[in-house]
Amino acid sequence: MNRTVVVGSVNRDYTFLLDHLPDRGETILSRRSYSSTGGKGANQAAALSKMGLEVAMIGAVGADEPGERAVEALAAYGVSVDHIIKKNVPTGSAFICVDKNAHNTIVVDPGANGALNCEDIDSAAQVIAEADFCLMQLEINLEVVAHAAEICREHGGKVVLNPAPAQKIPDELLSLTDYLIPNETELALLTGCEVNCHTAVAAARRLTDRGVKAVIVTMGEEGSCYVDGRQDFFIPAAETSAVDTTAAGDSYIGAFLSALSRGYEVRTAMEFASLAASITVSRQGASDSIPLLEEVERLL
Ligand code: RIB
């Protein structure tokens, strides 16, 4: 089985269940609220571990209760947490509004995630060097992501980048990326193109032209599409009854990599990932809503 390292964020999520997302200037009451462990890095590490991979996480939390609870939760999922560092800054937090149609908006305060630096990556370089895949997102500083990507590629590993939250990425980092996995909004920002299910392939091709080996665009209920220098294809979304789309992308990515590691073809790995995401959105929460491997396999 392949080894994976996640270099990314750990957050405390504060989720509010609403009838509708607030308009500008509007104050609304939530139907219910709760907090749980989140952060795209932590969610993706949890997904990989729940799907049976050996996974280590490199990240940062504050010396506070949310940080402690997150590290405990990740360890309970089986993630190696030896390289989650405590910083003198509060643990990152995310404020998530979910409407009655399961759509959400998320505001992230990076907190300790923003304090993770290249020296921290150097201290954990061995873990990256030994990994077959290095999975990252953009809730930590871009220079840290680029540094980890360089170490990973130097040692023959594959770099997987989920460019979320959306921001511009320099060509040097794109050319170190084996799999780039954006959603439509992120792809639109990266390419300047309007992205929908009809234009996604052409937009993704702009990134393969700039050096990315392969792009997988996740498009929610429209499915996902794969583009590399030779081929492109669509995979439909699995049917589901969504209550909360938080961590849908995170579970898709974790399931995709776990299936690839078990030797599945890319197409089959994407189908498997769609099934995992369909379970995640049928439940509330982030890391805790992501299914175990056997739950996904039951749907095959
Ligand atoms: O992808 C979902 C995650 O985005 C949430 O858990 C939240 O913490 C934000 O990082």
Side-chain angles (χ1 to χ4, degrees):
M1 187 57 76
N2 290 321
R3 266 185 288 199
T4 304
V5 61
V6 176
V7 183
S9 59
V10 181
N11 292 335
R12 188 78 192 157
D13 287 356
Y14 299 91
T15 301
F16 301 89
L17 305 181
L18 310 168
D19 287 331
H20 65 272
L21 301 176
D23 286 330
R24 183 159 47 169
E26 188 184 24
T27 301
I28 55 176
L29 298 177
S30 78
R31 283 187 279 115
R32 193 160 76 80
S33 68
Y34 54 85
S35 72
S36 57
T37 293
K40 294 181 194 304
N43 295 342
Q44 292 175 25
L48 289 161
S49 193
K50 285 180 172 194
M51 312 257 177
L53 286 199
E54 196 181 314
V55 52
M57 170 131 197
I58 300 171
V61 294
D64 50 23
E65 202 199 330
E68 258 165 49
R69 287 172 73 176
V71 172
E72 272 168 26
L74 286 168
Y77 290 133
V79 175
S80 165
V81 294
D82 296 348
H83 295 282
I84 301 183
I85 305 159
K86 273 193 189 152
K87 297 280 184 180
N88 201 13
V89 183
T91 296
S93 44
F95 300 88
I96 304 178
C97 293
V98 181
D99 73 10
K100 63 179 178 216
N101 297 315
H103 297 134
N104 66 25
T105 56
I106 304 181
V107 177
V108 175
D109 175 5
N113 299 304
L116 188 74
N117 57 44
C118 292
E119 288 74 46
D120 298 326
I121 298 302
D122 287 337
S123 306
Q126 190 61 26
V127 182
I128 301 174
E130 287 170 1
D132 300 283
F133 292 106
C134 178
L135 170 58
M136 296 181 281
Q137 317 74 28
L138 298 181
E139 287 183 336
I140 56 174
N141 292 326
L142 201 54
E143 65 185 27
V144 174
V145 172
H147 188 51
E150 277 165 14
I151 296 172
C152 173
R153 288 295 288 272
E154 261 168 36
H155 292 85
K158 288 199 158 74
V159 172
V160 183
L161 180 59
N162 170 218
Q167 61 174 281
K168 295 278 186 205
I169 300 176
D171 282 359
E172 299 78 57
L173 177 54
L174 289 179
S175 61
L176 291 174
T177 303
D178 292 281
Y179 292 101
L180 186 82
I181 312 185
N183 66 16
E184 308 99 304
T185 318
E186 290 144 11
L187 182 59
L189 188 126
L190 284 170
T191 59
C193 303
E194 192 186 313
V195 177
N196 55 46
C197 58
H198 305 291
T199 59
V201 169
R205 183 100 37 227
R206 292 193 174 205
L207 298 177
T208 57
D209 289 347
R210 285 171 60 194
V212 178
K213 302 269 175 314
V215 181
I216 295 174
V217 190
T218 58
M219 296 179 287
E221 53 203 28
E222 302 283 355
S224 48
C225 75
Y226 175 89
V227 179
D228 68 16
R230 291 176 301 119
Q231 57 170 342
D232 59 79
F233 54 82
F234 265 89
I235 299 293
E239 285 199 7
T240 188
S241 184
V243 296
D244 179 1
T245 54
T246 308
D250 301 331
S251 63
Y252 182 102
I253 293 164
F256 171 73
L257 273 191
S258 91
L260 267 194
S261 295
R262 274 176 286 124
Y264 288 27
E265 296 292 326
V266 168
R267 187 186 286 270
T268 318
M270 288 171 66
E271 286 163 356
F272 183 82
S274 297
L275 289 174
S278 77
I279 299 175
T280 301
V281 303
S282 71
R283 301 167 173 173
Q284 279 163 358
S287 294
D288 39 10
S289 69
I290 296 169
L292 298 168
L293 178 62
E294 48 269 33
E295 292 179 276
V296 188
E297 283 179 339
R298 257 181 247 136
L299 298 183
L300 287 174

